[in-house]
Amino acid sequence: MDGKVCELCATSGGTVLWESPTCRVVRVDNPDYPGFCRVIWTAHVHEMTDLDPGERQSLMSVVFAVEKAVRTLFAPDKVNLASFGNMTPHLHWHVIPRWHDDRHFPEPIWGRIQRAAHRQHAIVDDDTLCQALRKQLYPDDHQG
């Protein structure tokens, strides 16, 4: 990495909601986008094709579980899934709930601001989000 320390190797990247030996789900602290999460592959790899097919499938199962939990709790108009890595070349996925009246819509959240504010959303704490995520990841485990 040209002498730079990888942010996602050195830090959790957010509030850890769930983790396994291969990846973790973190909540991003962004008051404009409640429910914004990242799914971060544990090993330092750059691209999806650095993973074997089983690892790719496992990672995407977690991404889809996070999307479902976010949709259930936050009722967004849309969910953006993104894997860029341009600024942080460590494999991770963004799961971003979007609303038609959010600050950037229809631009990406890194785009030009379109409006000053949007409606207030229900507050969902980390424990509730964690439980919703576990319900998606382990649907047959009634104890979560």
Side-chain angles (χ1 to χ4, degrees):
M1 286 198 51
D2 302 327
K4 290 193 244 176
V5 174
C6 172
E7 173 187 350
L8 296 180
C9 287
T11 70
S12 63
T15 301
V16 177
L17 300 173
W18 176 88
E19 62 186 325
S20 75
T22 58
C23 68
R24 65 186 173 274
V25 176
V26 301
R27 186 174 192 171
V28 177
D29 183 19
N30 186 326
D32 291 322
Y33 298 95
F36 181 174
C37 292
R38 285 189 196 106
V39 180
I40 304 166
W41 191 251
T42 302
H44 184 84
V45 299
H46 289 214
E47 308 296 345
M48 287 293 290
T49 52
D50 291 335
L51 305 180
D52 69 39
E55 290 171 325
R56 284 181 229 150
Q57 183 175 4
S58 175
L59 177 59
M60 293 313 296
S61 292
V62 175
V63 170
F64 298 145
V66 173
E67 177 187 320
K68 183 65 174 173
V70 167
R71 289 182 65 200
T72 299
L73 292 174
F74 296 92
D77 297 318
K78 180 72 177 97
V79 175
N80 291 167
L81 300 178
S83 179
F84 301 114
N86 298 335
M87 299 298 293
T88 306
H90 180 127
L91 183 58
H92 64 286
W93 282 84
H94 300 272
V95 180
I96 310 163
R98 301 296 308 274
W99 292 269
H100 292 123
D101 60 351
D102 71 39
R103 292 188 70 193
H104 294 90
F105 197 87
E107 296 283 326
I109 68 166
W110 298 280
R112 191 171 55 88
I113 293 174
Q114 303 295 307
R115 62 198 58 78
H118 65 283
R119 68 185 129 117
Q120 294 297 315
H121 298 279
I123 296 172
V124 176
D125 63 30
D126 292 342
D127 288 337
T128 302
L129 182 52
C130 182
Q131 288 303 314
L133 176 58
R134 289 184 63 77
K135 182 177 179 181
Q136 294 304 315
L137 290 166
Y138 309 110
D140 298 328
D141 182 4
H142 300 292
Q143 288 157 27

